[in-house]
Amino acid sequence: SAGGLGWIIFADEGGTANALAEALAARGDRSVLVRKGTAFRVTAGNAIEIAAQSPTDYVRAVAHASQHLGQPADRVAHLWSLDATGKPSVMSLKSAVADGALSAVYLRQALLAQSAETRLWLVTSRATAAGAVVTDSGLLQSAIWGVGQTLAVEDPARWGAMIDLDDEDAGTSARRLAAEITRDEVRDTQVSFR
């Protein structure tokens, strides 16, 4: 596979995105991490924080990441859904949809506004029943799968895949994720690790 790709990683709080950035760096790729915050700001290490409910923050984040990378990102991995954990409730579902499905829509719009051929991967954990029971957290994360299926149909050239991770530590999940999303050709648009 070709090295030196530029990545934007919408980072979860559990460490999978950090481990993914390290795995990508080991193969010569560059990454900019985007974290949930209260407003757009660039933080230490050139990471970015944005307000998840602000579509303009996504546009600013994509533009800043492109500037930092020296070109539009080649690929984007969205891992914010991994933070949707716990028992389903009205409040947790609202938060999961805002940080997952709605965030993915805002992100795709920001990428389209840049007019680059950037490919997008959406990542969940135990949101599909592939050989196992869907967990409560997986149920909260599952709304993003509907968005992913729509994006795959609307714009297949810019689509990576939906990736559903297993309940593994962040390092193991990141290594498996890196191996899947760095392929030169997308083999499957829906992948569940079990």
Side-chain angles (χ1 to χ4, degrees):
S1 66
L5 296 175
W7 288 84
I8 302 172
I9 302 172
F10 280 67
D12 64 305
E13 296 170 6
T16 302
N18 291 338
L20 175 61
E22 290 172 12
L24 294 171
R27 55 182 308 274
D29 292 357
R30 300 167 328 280
S31 301
V32 175
L33 297 179
V34 179
R35 300 187 187 284
K36 289 174 275 189
T38 56
F40 176 88
R41 72 182 189 104
V42 178
T43 63
N46 216 42
I48 301 167
E49 284 185 3
I50 66 170
Q53 293 75 31
S54 172
T56 57
D57 278 8
Y58 291 82
V59 173
R60 291 178 71 189
V62 167
H64 179 81
S66 297
Q67 181 181 357
H68 178 72
L69 295 169
Q71 65 182 41
D74 297 295
R75 299 179 181 182
V76 177
H78 185 286
L79 283 70
W80 281 6
S81 289
L82 297 179
D83 294 331
T85 59
K87 294 282 183 195
S89 69
V90 171
M91 289 306 295
S92 64
L93 186 56
K94 279 183 171 182
S95 177
V97 168
D99 294 345
L102 188 56
S103 173
V105 170
Y106 290 156
L107 173 56
R108 171 46 78 199
Q109 290 170 340
L111 292 170
L112 289 173
Q114 184 176 275
S115 299
E117 293 296 319
T118 304
R119 293 174 70 180
L120 174 63
W121 280 261
L122 303 177
V123 182
T124 57
S125 178
R126 289 289 179 130
T128 65
V133 175
V134 174
T135 63
D136 285 344
S137 297
L139 178 62
L140 289 172
Q141 297 174 30
S142 64
I144 200 170
W145 277 73
V147 172
Q149 290 169 340
T150 301
L151 295 177
V153 171
E154 286 182 353
D155 197 0
R158 295 181 188 173
W159 178 239
M162 289 294 317
I163 308 285
D164 194 43
L165 301 172
D166 204 354
D167 288 330
E168 299 175 309
D169 64 89
T172 301
S173 290
R175 284 189 297 279
R176 292 178 84 175
L177 182 56
E180 184 66 33
I181 66 178
T182 56
R183 298 177 192 269
D184 290 331
E185 291 186 31
V186 174
R187 294 188 182 141
D188 296 305
T189 60
Q190 297 180 10
V191 178
S192 295
F193 291 117
R194 298 290 183 268

